[in-house]
């Protein structure tokens, strides 16, 4: 395994000022490092701060304090355009609610990061098709999100996250809105993506899903409760799909 | 390169958004449509008035000066001019002899009389007494026949030239040349029919006039009259130089001392044009302000709907930002949308006002100038960009995580 650090968090805190004296402490000093080609599951009870952490890692949110280095670069010193570039090129984010553009078909949804990345039109179509084929949706390019099943929508979202070949894939409860069978199919996909060399961080409530990962980080009340490698890791055979 | 993608993507999104909200877009556009219709019609009307004026003013001739007791345009006391001495017919000869920068000088006196031919008549026609030099001095164009000669003029022969309207009324079916008409009861043989001039200044054109030798005019219609000297400036002479020369000659004729001010005026077409320009300028200013207000209201409508659009699509903005859209990209996206809505409004507005301008053409010699079309489109684009800016800016500066969380 390549040992270079992709994500380095030191004492990350996130407080929400609710007005008056009230303050919500979503993260109270999280420190962790994630290396290239790791497959990490983040677990914890509801409200423990998992999504907050993922949003910070995905450069969608900024911490109240603490150091965040992405590939060795201090994220808090980046300006808006640089952050946009990191989100575009380095991070692939998969949401629980898919977050596809309803009016665009699958292909255009997947093309979007390439458009924002300034990729030429012909390359764009090819890369987007390849990404869709990779998630098994080569034949659904022209379908709009409302013409796709939940699992298919999440595959489109994964293709979109992958299409710019990011350094890391972030997935916040990607199976949360899916039934367990469809969820398993998505997990097989992640398994495969990991095998192909992608670095993955995945938030989940389900113990059995977390067991696909190499490493499980448990969070409670905004702090890391435990961080351990999985010894007898479950591997789903990718040929099931 | 990147910018071209942004434009293409912006256009695509804009068209999708507009198509998804057809009714709303149409209603929003209405404000712009009304604004553009009123502004372009205003511009067309002003253009029409200007053209009508230009056409009319050309009846005075661009190189013709009018030496008169009264100025054409003045804010001052009428009595001051009233008390000036009348100009005399003899001045014409004197000016002709003295001036070097003029081609022709013709004195002219006018009155109103009825003209008859058989059972047909023109009541209150303008009768002008002048000399053979008039045609050259005034630059009027002859439609048919010839103007009276020096002999006829000097001899006070009973011959006349008639304007186009007079000819039409007296001779609907007969060739006027050679016919004898009665002017104020006196017989005159028609030698000339002038070309129609048209325009706003009907009484001043040749159209409603009958020209007779000044000598017979004086004996038949009275000689105590104020004379106008029509002066044709020489082809290659500067009009201002000619004016200066004429002024000197006239001052000499009137025996004015250096300290005395002129007791005559040298009028010209340009004077009218300038005054008219100032008046239409004010009308245009007020008109464009008022019609511009409707465009402004339309712009506010656009701003309002763009705010709605931004709020509705907060989540979409979050998604776009999450996958790498920059602030500028989002800003641009909404600006393009607002601009396109307005541009469509502008085009619809032009499609309405263009046929209306053709109807207006029946009243005024107007046509919607091409420049108005371009300016209208440019203005609607600008209204879109300006009124879309604040909503677009709000969208652009949204925090991705807040936008994504928006329900
Ligand atoms: N914008 C916000 N304003 C105020 N408090 C917030 C905000 N976002 C999150 N929080 C609070 O921060 C804490 C952590 O929220 P977070 O969404 O990270 O939890 P989570 O671990 O993802 O929970 P779940 O498993 O239910 O998704 C919660 O107590 C939540 O109420
Ligand atoms: Mg969460």
């Amino acid at each position: 395994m390549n040992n270079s650090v992709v994500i380095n968090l030191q004492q990350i805190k996130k407080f929400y000022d609710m007005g008056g004296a009230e303050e919500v402490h979503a993260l109270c000093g999280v420190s962790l490092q994630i290396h290239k080609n790791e497959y990490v599951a983040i677990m914890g009870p509801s409200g423990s701060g998992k999504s907050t952490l993922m949003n910070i890692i995905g450069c969608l949110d900024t911490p109240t304090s603490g150091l965040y280095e992405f590939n060795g670069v201090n994220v808090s010193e980046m300006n808006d355009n640089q952050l946009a570039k990191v989100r575009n090129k380095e991070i692939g984010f998969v949401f629980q609610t898919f977050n596809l553009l309803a009016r665009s078909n699958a292909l255009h949804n997947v093309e979007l990061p390439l458009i924002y990345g300034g990729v030429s039109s012909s390359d764009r179509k090819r890369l987007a098709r390849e990404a869709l084929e990779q998630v098994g949706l080569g034949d659904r390019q022209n379908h709009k999100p409302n013409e796709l099943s939940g699992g298919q929508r999440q595959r489109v979202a994964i293709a979109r996250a992958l299409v710019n070949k990011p350094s890391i894939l972030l997935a916040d409860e990607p199976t949360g809105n899916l039934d367990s069978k469809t969820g398993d199919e998505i997990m097989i996909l992640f398994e495969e993506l990991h095998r192909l060399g992608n670095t993955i961080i995945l938030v989940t409530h389900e113990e059995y899903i977390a067991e696909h990962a190499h490493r499980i980080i448990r969070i409670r009340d905004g702090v890391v409760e435990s961080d351990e490698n999985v010894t007898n890791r479950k591997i789903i055979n990718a040929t099931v799909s | 390169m990147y910018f071209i993608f942004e434009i293409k993507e912006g256009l695509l999104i804009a068209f999708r958004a507009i198509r998804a909200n057809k009714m709303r877009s149409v209603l929003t556009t209405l404000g712009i449509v009304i604004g553009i219709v009123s502004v372009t019609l205003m511009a067309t009307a002003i253009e029409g008035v200007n053209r009508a004026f230009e056409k009319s003013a050309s009846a005075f001739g661009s190189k013709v000066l009018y030496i008169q007791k009264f100025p054409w345009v003045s804010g001052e006391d009428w009595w001051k001019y009233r008390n000036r001495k009348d100009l005399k017919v003899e001045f014409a000869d004197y000016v002709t002899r003295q001036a070097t920068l003029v081609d022709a000088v013709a004195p002219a006196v006018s009155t109103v009389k009825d003209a008859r031919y058989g059972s047909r008549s023109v009541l209150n026609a303008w009768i002008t007494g002048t000399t053979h030099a008039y045609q050259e001095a005034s630059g009027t164009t002859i439609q048919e026949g010839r103007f009276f000669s020096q002999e006829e003029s000097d001899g006070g022969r009973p011959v006349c030239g008639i304007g186009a309207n007079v000819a039409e009324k007296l001779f609907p079916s007969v060739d006027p040349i050679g016919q004898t008409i009665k002017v104020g009861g006196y017989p005159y043989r028609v030698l000339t029919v002038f070309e129609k001039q048209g325009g706003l200044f009907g009484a001043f054109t040749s159209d409603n006039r009958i020209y007779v030798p000044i000598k017979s005019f004086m004996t038949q219609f009275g000689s105590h009259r104020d004379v106008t000297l029509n002066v044709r400036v020489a082809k290659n002479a500067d009009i201002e130089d000619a004016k200066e020369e004429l002024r000197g000659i006239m001052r000499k004729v009137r025996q004015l001392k250096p300290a005395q001010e002129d007791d005559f005026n040298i009028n010209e077409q340009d004077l009218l044009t300038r005054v008219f320009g100032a008046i239409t300028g004010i009308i245009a200013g007020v008109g464009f302000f008022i019609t511009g207000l409707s465009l402004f209201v339309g712009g506010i409508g656009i701003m309002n709907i763009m705010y709605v659009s931004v709020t509705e699509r907060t989540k979409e903005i979050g998604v776009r930002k999450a996958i790498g859209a920059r602030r500028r990209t989002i800003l641009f996206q909404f600006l393009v949308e607002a601009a396109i809505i307005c541009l469509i409004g502008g085009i619809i507005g032009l499609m309405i006002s263009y046929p209306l301008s053709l109807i207006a053409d029946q009243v005024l010699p107007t046509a919607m100038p091409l420049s108005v079309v371009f300016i209208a489109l440019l203005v609607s684009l600008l209204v879109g960009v300006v009124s879309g800016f604040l909503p677009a800016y709000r969208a652009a500066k949204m925090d991705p995580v807040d936008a994504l969380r928006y329900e």
Side-chain angles (χ1 to χ4, degrees):
Chain A
M1 189 190 290
N2 192 323
N3 239 11
S4 66
V5 177
V6 181
I7 307 273
N8 178 22
L9 301 178
Q10 299 293 332
Q11 285 301 312
I12 292 291
K13 293 182 181 163
K14 181 72 186 181
F15 301 155
Y16 290 104
D17 190 0
M18 302 308 288
E22 219 184 318
E23 208 176 42
V24 176
H25 294 222
L27 294 175
C28 316
V30 172
S31 301
L32 55 87
Q33 290 183 336
I34 286 161
H35 300 264
K36 195 162 188 266
N37 205 21
E38 265 193 300
Y39 187 175
V40 180
I42 295 178
M43 297 199 68
S46 185
S48 56
K50 306 181 295 294
S51 293
T52 308
L53 182 61
M54 286 295 264
N55 288 338
I56 288 172
I57 294 174
C59 297
L60 299 175
D61 205 354
T62 47
T64 311
S65 69
L67 174 74
Y68 173 21
E69 281 180 348
F70 187 95
N71 281 335
V73 182
N74 189 345
V75 171
S76 60
E77 283 170 3
M78 289 188 189
N79 66 25
D80 205 76
N81 278 349
Q82 288 167 320
L83 284 173
K85 197 168 173 188
V86 170
R87 289 195 287 263
N88 182 246
K89 302 250 193 246
E90 305 293 343
I91 291 166
F93 213 114
V94 178
F95 302 91
Q96 181 177 351
T97 52
F98 322 132
N99 282 345
L100 298 175
L101 299 188
R103 290 202 275 263
S104 304
N105 63 23
L107 188 68
H108 191 257
N109 265 292
V110 177
E111 264 188 277
L112 216 53
L114 298 168
I115 291 173
Y116 293 140
V119 177
S120 78
S121 170
S122 53
D123 288 346
R124 218 158 66 202
K125 290 265 185 297
R126 182 176 52 77
L127 290 169
R129 272 195 205 104
E130 278 172 18
L132 278 172
E133 273 156 21
Q134 199 180 354
V135 298
L137 283 180
D139 55 345
R140 291 286 190 276
Q141 293 174 11
N142 296 319
H143 290 230
K144 299 238 172 94
N146 62 3
E147 298 159 356
L148 294 170
S149 73
Q152 287 170 330
R153 288 184 208 183
Q154 194 58 299
R155 283 163 188 272
V156 174
I158 293 170
R160 181 179 68 186
L162 283 174
V163 74
N164 254 337
K165 309 218 163 20
S167 303
I168 193 163
L169 207 54
L170 304 177
D172 190 352
E173 297 191 49
T175 60
N177 274 20
L178 304 173
D179 61 61
S180 61
K181 184 175 166 291
T182 320
D184 283 349
E185 284 168 17
I186 295 295
M187 291 318 296
I188 292 167
L189 185 56
F190 275 109
E191 184 77 46
E192 165 139 15
L193 292 173
H194 173 245
R195 231 195 357 250
L196 291 171
N198 287 288
T199 313
I200 298 172
I201 306 178
L202 183 119
V203 171
T204 182
H205 280 281
E206 312 284 350
E207 202 68 43
Y208 83 95
I209 286 178
E211 281 167 10
H212 298 304
H214 286 139
R215 178 180 164 194
I216 299 180
I217 297 171
R218 289 176 202 278
I219 293 189
R220 182 180 292 276
D221 297 331
V223 291
V224 176
E225 189 187 47
S226 73
D227 181 350
E228 54 204 16
N229 289 332
V230 178
T231 41
N232 56 352
R233 183 169 163 259
K234 265 196 203 168
I235 297 181
I236 305 179
N237 195 339
T239 55
V240 172
S241 67
Chain B
M1 201 56 186
Y2 184 67
F3 197 61
I4 294 170
F5 292 149
E6 275 187 351
I7 292 179
K8 263 178 74 182
E9 179 68 11
L11 288 173
L12 197 71
I13 296 165
F15 278 120
R16 281 217 187 97
I18 291 166
R19 228 179 342 170
N21 299 300
K22 277 191 209 77
M23 196 58 197
R24 192 169 84 184
S25 305
V26 165
L27 289 177
T28 314
T29 304
L30 212 58
I32 300 296
V33 170
I34 292 169
I36 288 294
V37 167
S38 52
V39 170
T40 50
L41 284 184
M42 181 74 205
T44 308
I46 287 174
E47 169 80 8
V49 172
N50 277 335
R51 279 198 200 178
F53 177 81
E54 246 164 63
K55 193 163 164 247
S56 314
S58 69
F60 292 94
S62 60
K63 279 205 127 181
V64 181
L65 298 174
Y66 298 82
I67 306 176
Q68 286 171 309
K69 195 162 115 174
F70 292 95
W72 281 353
V73 184
S74 157
E76 283 174 70
D77 190 4
W78 184 76
W79 284 102
K80 174 179 140 191
Y81 304 116
R82 178 72 246 264
N83 290 334
R84 286 172 167 180
K85 283 183 289 181
D86 284 346
L87 300 185
K88 297 206 178 83
V89 181
E90 305 86 80
F91 293 177
D93 288 334
Y94 187 74
V95 171
T96 313
R97 265 181 276 119
Q98 298 280 314
T100 58
L101 300 175
V102 306
D103 275 349
V105 181
V109 289
S110 288
T111 187
V112 173
K113 295 279 172 210
D114 295 345
R116 287 180 201 287
Y117 175 73
S119 60
R120 310 195 68 91
S121 65
V122 177
L123 301 180
N124 301 323
W126 279 93
I127 316 298
T128 295
T130 185
T131 66
H132 63 283
Y134 180 82
Q135 204 247 319
E136 195 188 349
S138 67
T140 350
T141 326
I142 290 173
Q143 170 86 39
E144 209 189 340
R146 60 166 181 87
F147 202 59
F148 45 76
S149 66
Q150 181 161 10
E151 290 73 45
E152 286 161 331
S153 172
D154 292 348
R157 307 291 306 154
V159 289
C160 69
I162 59 178
N165 289 351
V166 177
E168 251 167 54
K169 282 183 196 142
L170 293 183
F171 304 99
S173 51
V174 191
D175 181 8
I177 305 297
Q179 305 295 332
T180 300
I181 58 171
K182 289 244 168 97
V183 179
Y186 297 96
Y188 281 92
R189 191 158 51 87
V190 178
L191 291 181
T192 335
V193 177
F194 290 104
E195 206 170 66
K196 192 169 182 78
Q197 288 186 308
L200 299 171
F201 310 109
F204 298 99
T205 61
S206 67
D207 293 349
N208 298 307
R209 274 176 196 263
I210 298 172
Y211 297 88
V212 302
I214 194 162
K215 197 161 174 192
S216 43
F217 183 101
M218 293 289 198
T219 47
Q220 288 165 357
F221 309 127
S223 57
H224 292 285
R225 288 181 190 276
D226 183 29
V227 175
T228 296
L229 299 184
N230 295 5
V231 181
R232 175 107 200 148
V233 177
K235 260 200 195 66
N236 35 23
D238 180 68
I239 202 157
E240 288 308 313
D241 293 345
K243 265 167 94 173
E244 215 30 61
E245 187 187 47
L246 287 171
R247 194 168 156 249
I249 295 168
M250 284 305 293
R251 285 184 68 88
K252 224 164 20 175
V253 173
R254 293 286 205 155
Q255 295 166 330
L256 296 177
K257 300 201 180 64
Q260 281 178 296
E261 60 176 275
D262 293 350
D263 58 356
F264 56 89
N265 275 88
I266 302 178
N267 294 315
E268 59 175 312
Q269 175 207 314
D270 188 45
L271 213 67
L272 286 185
T273 313
R274 274 208 303 272
V275 171
F276 186 78
I279 294 170
T280 49
I282 292 168
I283 294 174
V286 173
F288 281 123
F289 178 75
I290 292 169
T291 50
L293 276 182
S294 65
L295 205 53
F296 182 73
V297 172
I300 291 178
I302 295 290
M303 190 186 282
N304 184 35
I305 217 67
M306 288 312 293
Y307 268 123
V308 172
S309 184
V310 165
T311 309
E312 271 179 0
R313 278 144 72 191
T314 303
K315 187 118 185 180
E316 177 193 320
I317 294 164
V319 172
R320 288 178 185 276
K321 289 204 147 194
I323 58 177
R326 302 195 228 173
R327 280 187 188 181
R328 198 183 72 189
T329 315
I330 301 290
L331 183 83
F332 195 77
Q333 172 190 331
F334 284 97
L335 279 187
V336 167
E337 187 173 326
I340 285 185
I341 290 179
C342 286
L343 204 59
I344 290 174
I347 291 168
I348 295 174
L350 284 174
M351 284 182 340
I352 294 172
S353 63
Y354 185 71
L356 288 179
S357 79
L358 293 184
I359 295 172
D361 191 30
Q362 310 293 310
V363 187
L364 282 169
T366 188
M368 190 178 290
L370 202 61
S371 60
V372 167
V373 173
F374 280 114
I375 292 170
L377 293 179
L378 208 71
V379 164
S380 37
L381 201 70
L382 204 72
V383 168
V385 171
V386 168
S387 48
F389 186 81
L390 284 180
Y393 184 71
R394 183 163 105 177
K397 72 175 201 325
M398 276 182 191
D399 226 15
V401 75
D402 293 337
L404 279 169
R405 206 176 277 142
Y406 183 85
E407 291 304 329

